[in-house]
Amino acid sequence: MIACDTDVLIVVDVQNDFCPGGRLPVPGGSDVVPVINRLAGRFANIVVTQDWHPHNHFSFASMHPGKQPNDIIAAPYGPQILWPDHCVQGTSGAQFHESLCVPQATMILRKGFHRTIDSYSAFYENDRQTPTGLTGYLRERSLTRVFLAGLAFDFCVRYSAEDAQRAGFSVFVIEDACRSIDVDGSAEAAQSALQNLGIQAIVAGHFA
């Protein structure tokens, strides 16, 4: 496979808090960094997403007395998993992993900054109504194939892939450039969901 000028690599949330030692570490999260760095040299178009929560974000377990991380509550937009405080705006945990090297990225998309709505997808907040603007950006630039890598596969990568396909893009998930956090079987559920939608899983070695 050869990346062309109408392809975009979307690097999802490779931030300190999602890597070992962070507030919400994805097992093996930092292992995706060298894979993504190698992939980045194949793409002329790269978008990087960044979780960017206010300190009092609705999805934080600390905002709900008596609740713990991984508890589920009812939000106005549906079930909401509660998380440890993470990727708080301006903190070191919200910064990109120090070894991530994608200087040619043309866009950094911050998501999750609405206090009362969580955000997994790079395309829509979790209310499924509030767009991030990424769809319009990709269309304005005539980009048609989306390749996804990053953290975590079973949440932000999964929902980004689903929304990209829903928006009419051809979508590929680069499996060895992703890792899962796996909350109550979420990794297997994500794999099944993407397979059922016909979203292709590839590996970095497919690129020439």
Side-chain angles (χ1 to χ4, degrees):
M1 182 175 287
I2 298 175
C4 63
D5 289 344
T6 56
D7 295 341
V8 59
L9 174 65
I10 300 179
V11 179
V12 179
D13 299 357
V14 183
Q15 296 167 253
N16 289 331
D17 270 345
F18 295 130
C19 293
R23 298 296 305 276
L24 184 52
V26 177
S30 58
D31 294 345
V32 305
V33 174
V35 183
I36 290 171
N37 289 346
R38 290 194 298 271
L39 279 170
R42 303 285 194 262
F43 285 84
N45 305 295
I46 300 176
V47 170
V48 181
T49 74
Q50 187 176 25
D51 238 17
W52 196 247
H53 296 307
H55 69 89
N56 58 347
H57 196 264
F58 175 77
S59 71
F60 294 165
S62 63
M63 296 299 297
H64 303 271
K67 298 296 184 181
Q68 300 295 323
N70 294 344
D71 285 350
I72 298 176
I73 63 170
Y77 49 82
Q80 171 66 54
I81 297 177
L82 297 180
W83 306 107
D85 294 23
H86 66 280
C87 296
V88 173
Q89 296 171 6
T91 64
S92 60
Q95 293 176 4
F96 296 117
H97 189 282
E98 63 179 3
S99 297
L100 183 68
C101 185
V102 287
Q104 68 274 51
T106 54
M107 182 184 191
I108 296 174
L109 185 142
R110 287 176 168 170
K111 59 188 181 66
F113 52 83
H114 298 284
R115 192 190 71 80
T116 59
I117 314 172
D118 204 4
S119 181
Y120 299 153
S121 170
F123 293 85
Y124 282 93
E125 306 289 344
N126 283 10
D127 64 353
R128 318 308 303 146
Q129 302 294 320
T130 305
T132 65
L134 182 57
T135 301
Y137 174 81
L138 299 182
R139 286 179 176 160
E140 286 279 345
R141 298 197 55 213
S142 300
L143 303 176
T144 59
R145 291 201 304 178
V146 168
F147 294 81
L148 286 154
L151 306 171
F153 167 76
D154 42 345
F155 285 92
C156 295
V157 173
R158 171 193 172 173
Y159 291 104
S160 296
E162 292 179 354
D163 283 347
Q165 185 189 66
R166 194 172 297 117
F169 299 101
S170 297
V171 185
F172 302 82
V173 174
I174 307 170
E175 285 191 311
D176 55 339
C178 301
R179 293 293 185 276
S180 292
I181 196 165
D182 203 14
V183 177
D184 295 331
S186 57
E188 183 177 353
Q191 285 185 325
S192 296
L194 297 185
Q195 287 173 0
N196 289 339
L197 290 170
I199 293 173
Q200 295 188 54
I202 62 173
V203 298
H206 283 166
F207 288 91

